[in-house]
Amino acid sequence: IYLRTMQFIIYIFVYPIIWVISKFPFWLLYGVSDLLYLLVYRIFGYRKKVVEANLKLVFPEKQPSEIKAITNKFYHHLCDMIVESIKSLSISEKELKKRFTFTNIELIKALENNRRSIALMVGHYGSWEWIFILQSYISHKGYAIYKPLANKYFDRLVKKIRSKHNSHLISPKEAFKVINEANQEGQLTINGFAADQSPKLNKPRYRSEFMGINVPMFTGAETMAKQLNLVVLFLDVQKIKRGYYQTTFSYIAKDAKAFKDFEITDKYYRILEDQIRKAPEYYLWTHKRWKHRKV
């Protein structure tokens, strides 16, 4: 009861602040981001050691000055992501469609016509906060597998924001049951997997290399695609300029069952690696992705 009460107090204190910020025009919103950058990076150094350690680990060939430059750009982008997620509270569909675009939505339309459901694999790269606008273009019912927030009130708020565009957040524990039932009822589904996080050591079935480092891998997207006959797609996200993203779909597997075990997972990581190497500042370096690496 005490914990729930404290969560509620935090929520009712913080929510009005983020609601007001969400109403800011973009020029002012990015002013908030610039201020946040000074606090997060320059003053408090939020996870700065983690970020620098990750970058040095996966880019051993880069000079300290290059690592510092990537780190600096990353924190600017991270703060932009924070204010953009807040903006999700009140941004209009028209504005969001202008800022988060899809170059080949016809690929999804073709899968609709063929009555195929989709496993959409993405990385923590560019922007994943605004991807939910995809649902305003397509007929597939959208699910995103996510880890529920500790604060139940904020968790409920995030779910409400996502559901505005016919997307639904589901936990890993309920994912298979929910998606399987939808498919059995004849619903087309598009199911988002951000599969590049670090699984717990007692859970991984598979280890392989990510950015040249041997680490445990999540294989849930591949497993579900094979069990439920889902087409597996990758969504490439490019940051065009501040507040504008352009995305492109590509096939990982049209027939998941035809792939050997872990082949789909490996293919996903190779595509994600290529994306990261081109512009590393847009990847989420604050996560301890390589903490369970083999040494």
Side-chain angles (χ1 to χ4, degrees):
I1 296 176
Y2 173 77
L3 178 61
R4 191 73 176 234
T5 302
M6 290 305 297
Q7 288 181 343
F8 180 68
I9 291 171
I10 292 169
Y11 175 77
I12 61 173
F13 176 74
V14 174
Y15 177 74
I17 298 172
I18 62 175
W19 184 85
V20 169
I21 293 174
S22 79
K23 295 292 185 179
F24 286 0
F26 273 95
W27 64 268
L28 184 54
L29 192 74
Y30 288 120
V32 173
S33 176
D34 291 340
L35 177 60
L36 197 59
Y37 162 80
L38 293 175
L39 293 171
V40 170
Y41 179 49
R42 295 294 183 184
I43 296 176
F44 295 109
Y46 168 72
R47 292 207 169 188
K48 186 177 177 181
K49 290 183 178 179
V50 173
V51 172
E52 291 177 341
N54 283 339
L55 287 169
K56 290 175 183 176
L57 180 68
V58 303
F59 295 119
E61 76 283 2
K62 292 189 182 297
Q63 298 297 316
S65 59
E66 293 177 286
I67 297 296
K68 185 176 180 180
I70 295 170
T71 301
N72 184 57
K73 290 178 182 178
F74 161 71
Y75 277 98
H76 273 295
H77 174 66
L78 176 66
C79 293
D80 281 358
M81 281 274 295
I82 292 170
V83 298
E84 286 166 7
S85 67
I86 292 173
K87 188 67 176 175
S88 299
L89 273 170
S90 60
I91 193 170
S92 69
E93 181 176 307
K94 181 180 178 182
E95 182 71 24
L96 192 48
K97 282 183 172 181
K98 184 174 73 174
R99 290 175 173 273
F100 198 93
T101 60
F102 303 91
T103 64
N104 59 342
I105 200 74
E106 63 274 6
L107 189 151
I108 307 295
K109 295 291 187 181
L111 291 171
E112 280 182 13
N113 293 335
N114 290 325
R115 302 295 301 169
R116 296 298 304 275
S117 289
I118 300 163
L120 183 63
M121 300 187 76
V122 301
H124 286 89
Y125 184 90
S127 173
W128 54 93
E129 288 297 333
W130 288 349
I131 190 176
F132 298 92
I133 194 61
L134 171 64
Q135 297 304 130
S136 65
Y137 293 95
I138 64 177
S139 299
H140 286 75
K141 187 172 184 178
Y143 291 105
I145 290 79
Y146 88 117
K147 183 179 180 181
L149 301 179
N151 188 308
K152 303 299 182 184
Y153 301 97
F154 281 110
D155 188 67
R156 193 180 305 156
L157 175 64
V158 170
K159 286 183 175 179
K160 183 179 178 181
I161 293 170
R162 301 300 187 240
S163 66
K164 286 195 301 184
H165 304 292
N166 195 33
S167 290
H168 306 274
L169 299 183
I170 52 177
S171 70
K173 290 182 179 179
E174 62 184 335
F176 181 83
K177 180 176 183 292
V178 170
I179 297 168
N180 184 42
E181 287 179 355
N183 285 353
Q184 287 182 343
E185 292 170 2
Q187 294 182 12
L188 289 179
T189 62
I190 184 165
N191 310 286
F193 297 84
D196 55 333
Q197 291 177 303
S198 181
K200 294 179 180 179
L201 275 180
N202 63 336
K203 289 189 176 181
R205 298 170 52 217
Y206 180 59
R207 297 184 71 102
S208 189
E209 287 195 354
F210 177 37
M211 300 296 289
I213 312 297
N214 186 284
V215 289
M217 306 287 197
F218 274 119
T219 58
E222 174 177 336
T223 301
M224 198 173 298
K226 289 183 175 183
Q227 290 176 334
L228 301 181
N229 192 30
L230 307 177
V231 174
V232 186
L233 300 180
F234 181 82
L235 183 66
D236 177 79
V237 182
Q238 299 295 324
K239 188 171 186 176
I240 305 304
K241 60 180 180 179
R242 205 172 202 186
Y244 289 85
Y245 302 88
Q246 186 179 79
T247 69
T248 303
F249 298 99
S250 61
Y251 282 104
I252 293 179
K254 294 182 181 180
D255 179 8
K257 292 180 181 179
F259 284 72
K260 296 177 182 177
D261 285 349
F262 313 123
E263 236 181 344
I264 290 173
T265 300
D266 281 338
K267 189 174 179 181
Y268 159 73
Y269 272 101
R270 298 298 79 78
I271 298 171
L272 180 59
E273 281 183 0
D274 289 342
Q275 187 181 47
I276 293 170
R277 292 185 189 282
K278 289 174 184 175
E281 61 267 28
Y282 300 136
Y283 189 64
L284 189 62
W285 297 105
T286 47
H287 280 192
K288 296 181 179 180
R289 178 60 185 99
W290 293 270
K291 63 185 175 181
H292 298 313
R293 63 187 182 273
K294 280 187 176 179
V295 293

